[in-house]
């Protein structure tokens, strides 16, 4: 019983983590590309 609950909580936590980190990755990629083109190091 406890193992089943732990599995459910783990899967829910993984889904939440994915949903939460996706926007941050997109923003980081946007800012990374913007800063690269702005500074023109490459």
């Amino acid at each position: 019983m406890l193992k089943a609950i732990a599995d459910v909580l783990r899967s829910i936590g993984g889904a939440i983590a994915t949903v939460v980190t996706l926007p941050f990755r997109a923003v980081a990629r946007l800012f990374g590309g913007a800063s690269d083109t702005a500074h023109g190091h490459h």
Side-chain angles (χ1 to χ4, degrees):
M1 184 66 185
L2 283 177
K3 185 182 183 300
I5 295 174
D7 286 343
V8 171
L9 286 177
R10 191 176 300 121
S11 60
I12 291 175
I16 292 175
T18 301
V19 172
V20 168
T21 54
L22 271 177
F24 283 113
R25 283 189 198 144
V27 170
R29 187 178 300 162
L30 275 174
F31 277 115
S35 64
D36 280 346
T37 52
H39 294 304
H41 285 304
H42 305 294

